[in-house]
Amino acid sequence: MRRVLVAALVGASLAGCMRKESAPPQAEAGTAMASPAASGASGAPKAADAPGAVLFVSADTRGYLGPCGCSENMRGGIGRAAAQVLEARKGPLPVLYIDGGNSLFGEPELKPGQVPQEERKAKALSDAMRLMGLAVRATGLLDDTRGADFRQGLGLPELAPGEVKLLPAGARKVGVVAADTPEQLVEASARARKDGADFVLALLDATLEAAQTAVERPGLAADVVVATRTATEFSGEQNKLVRASVPVVALQSKGRSLLRVDLGYAPQPGPFTLQSDTEREVAGLEQRVALLDREINLPGIDPKLKALKQAKRDELVARKQALLAAPPAAASGVNAFTVRFVPLESGLPSHPDAQALVAAYDADVGKMNLAWAKEHGKDCPAPAKGQAAFVGNEPCRTCHEEAFPVWEKTKHPHAWETLEGLGKQFHLNCVSCHVTGWEQPGGVCRLDKVAGREAVGCESCHGPGSEHAEAPSSDNIVASPGESLCVTCHNPENSPHFDFATYLPRILGPGHGKPAETAKPAKP
């Protein structure tokens, strides 16, 4: 199925390709680089007898430095994540930042042309993790896309499957364990307890469903288990907490949320109890925000009404953030913990140093990709015998002149322009839905050869047109493209509020899905 079609329909501003790199000095593999963030903004170390601690966890980031930007109010961004962690470090309690893995890349295998961009992006993510004061991270399949040597060369503090890391957290110790299997999970959590861990955070390289089964194993000594992998690219759309015998957590994928765990200590060490917190109130606010998001993203919404709804949304997000950032109520006489999801909403601040990493990536990666295409790029293969090729819009205009004024009033013809305006026209994460025939037989396979195929043209939706141009027939063209074609670009990531019935009328008109207007006879 063509991957090119209707991405500009939503009004893509396409920062979507926001994945960046820079190359600061690297630490020795397996060790954390010194960071001003590690001790808080003031640089003062936290008291060894602090009565609690704050843990932040990321996982399943899938190589994302930021949201794609195709829709309004998209979550995510390493700059927003950094701001949350570094702001918390200004408080009185020690803060530990931990990554669960499957974070460096979005695919287990790369095409040769993707390698320069994706390696640079992985380095940028690593730099951002160092900036945030990463304590330790587990690894998963999506961290080894370029091999273990590349991953280890990034110099991040790693925790191999089955291993345990004890971290001081004020008056207690937090044990972080990594596991690939239920057996490893049980054994490593028990070892963490034996080694002196008061609270055990387990990072299981498995889906939420598999983790729920794993926590029923006898002998498990973890306090909370984070499932660090989703089954597919689009199966991590929601934050989830399962209150099983051991709580199981799954984060919204692609860096759109952080997990925050607040620990509160009783006078004496002992088991930790999960406390109810702000869940109900936060959930109510999120429902209201989600409703406003759908309304704000409606095509054709009145600008004044949109501004009013956006202001209300911003107010609700601020209220929600205040709840999520506030210390939980102290639990009298017990060791307690709370679990909160921190969605990285569009209205939240970004840390300038982390954003600088993204900006450097954006400045570099387009040049890298274009240079690679010129030196190594290959044209798309010709269509198989009897199959149509892409010919561009002009042959269509010969017979369908009346359709073009309708098309020109949509956002489809401006899809390429939106990328150019952001300097992202050579970003591989963006280009496929902003040109016609990307990586299709007889289409465009090189960034240096997109001339004549810019934007979402006729063939993006109706299919390659050479056969139809030669011998027009309803049998050799897609006359009425359906929803299944639209969602190849208007997917849950790029266009989370896409509704086919709502959006389709915006691209139809006389001569394009509707009867052509006929000239009225002149009056005598």
Side-chain angles (χ1 to χ4, degrees), residues 65-419:
L65 284 176
C68 79
C70 302
S71 297
E72 304 269 358
N73 298 316
M74 300 185 79
R75 288 179 178 179
I78 199 68
R80 295 172 193 161
Q84 292 296 307
V85 175
L86 298 185
E87 183 64 25
R89 290 191 188 280
K90 298 177 183 178
L93 298 179
V95 173
L96 300 175
Y97 167 51
I98 298 156
D99 181 62
N102 290 301
S103 294
L104 300 179
F105 297 94
E107 303 171 79
E109 296 182 3
L110 300 175
K111 298 175 183 178
Q114 294 176 284
V115 170
Q117 173 174 298
E118 299 305 309
E119 286 190 347
R120 295 276 279 170
K121 193 194 323 166
K123 292 177 182 177
L125 282 164
S126 300
D127 295 340
M129 289 179 183
R130 268 188 287 273
L131 172 70
M132 295 160 69
L134 179 69
V136 72
R137 73 181 302 268
T139 62
L141 176 66
L142 293 180
D143 297 307
D144 278 345
T145 298
R146 295 299 295 152
D149 288 345
F150 176 86
R151 187 198 77 230
Q152 292 168 357
L154 297 172
L156 298 176
E158 293 185 349
L159 192 62
E163 289 189 355
V164 175
K165 178 78 171 181
L166 290 186
L167 301 171
R172 301 285 190 273
K173 291 181 180 179
V174 170
V176 182
V177 304
D180 285 344
T181 66
E183 294 79 12
Q184 277 185 347
L185 181 67
V186 171
E187 191 278 331
S189 64
R191 182 152 35 91
R193 295 289 186 194
K194 183 178 179 181
D195 291 347
D198 298 286
F199 183 89
V200 175
L201 172 73
L203 307 171
L204 180 61
D205 186 16
T207 64
L208 176 65
E209 294 75 17
Q212 288 178 252
T213 301
V215 299
E216 300 303 327
R217 293 284 184 113
L220 180 63
D223 291 288
V224 63
V225 174
V226 181
T228 65
R229 173 163 51 88
T230 45
T232 68
E233 182 184 0
F234 298 119
S235 58
E237 296 302 304
Q238 301 293 329
N239 292 310
K240 295 181 180 179
L241 167 63
V242 179
R243 292 178 178 271
S245 54
V246 174
V248 182
V249 173
L251 275 163
Q252 190 178 28
S253 65
K254 300 176 182 176
R256 289 175 285 182
S257 294
L258 288 172
L259 173 67
R260 175 173 172 153
V261 180
D262 284 81
L263 306 180
Y265 306 149
Q268 298 299 322
F272 277 78
T273 302
L274 175 62
Q275 300 289 309
S276 295
D277 192 28
T278 58
E279 295 172 56
R280 182 172 297 179
E281 192 170 355
V282 167
L285 289 170
E286 288 200 334
Q287 288 177 355
R288 294 173 67 185
V289 168
L291 177 60
L292 285 168
D293 277 341
R294 286 194 293 272
E295 294 171 344
I296 289 168
N297 280 278
L298 282 173
I301 183 173
D302 178 82
K304 291 183 179 179
L305 178 60
K306 180 177 180 179
L308 289 172
K309 290 183 178 294
Q310 183 65 47
K312 183 62 179 178
R313 184 193 190 278
D314 293 343
E315 175 197 331
L316 296 176
V317 167
R319 287 171 55 188
K320 181 177 71 170
Q321 184 60 25
L323 288 170
L324 294 172
S332 177
V334 298
N335 294 291
F337 73 102
T338 59
V339 172
R340 298 174 176 178
F341 296 107
V342 183
L344 301 174
E345 301 284 5
S346 59
L348 296 183
S350 291
H351 194 277
D353 291 346
Q355 280 305 105
L357 296 174
V358 178
Y361 170 83
D362 286 339
D364 294 345
V365 75
K367 298 175 184 177
M368 293 169 50
N369 288 339
L370 187 59
W372 194 96
K374 289 178 178 178
E375 185 173 354
H376 305 288
K378 295 181 180 179
D379 294 330
C380 290
K385 185 177 181 180
Q387 299 297 310
F390 289 87
V391 293
N393 281 0
E394 290 312 305
C396 307
R397 194 185 297 270
T398 304
C399 296
H400 302 284
E401 179 69 34
E402 72 281 2
F404 277 78
V406 177
W407 174 73
E408 288 163 356
K409 291 179 181 178
T410 73
K411 295 184 178 180
H412 286 166
H414 306 293
W416 183 255
E417 295 172 17
T418 63
L419 295 185

Side-chain angles (χ1 to χ4, degrees), residues 4-29:
V4 211
L5 82 305
V6 270
L9 200 81
V10 183
S13 79
L14 269 292
C17 347
M18 284 177 59
R19 310 174 180 185
K20 156 58 217 147
E21 179 272 354
S22 131
Q26 291 186 351
E28 199 174 308

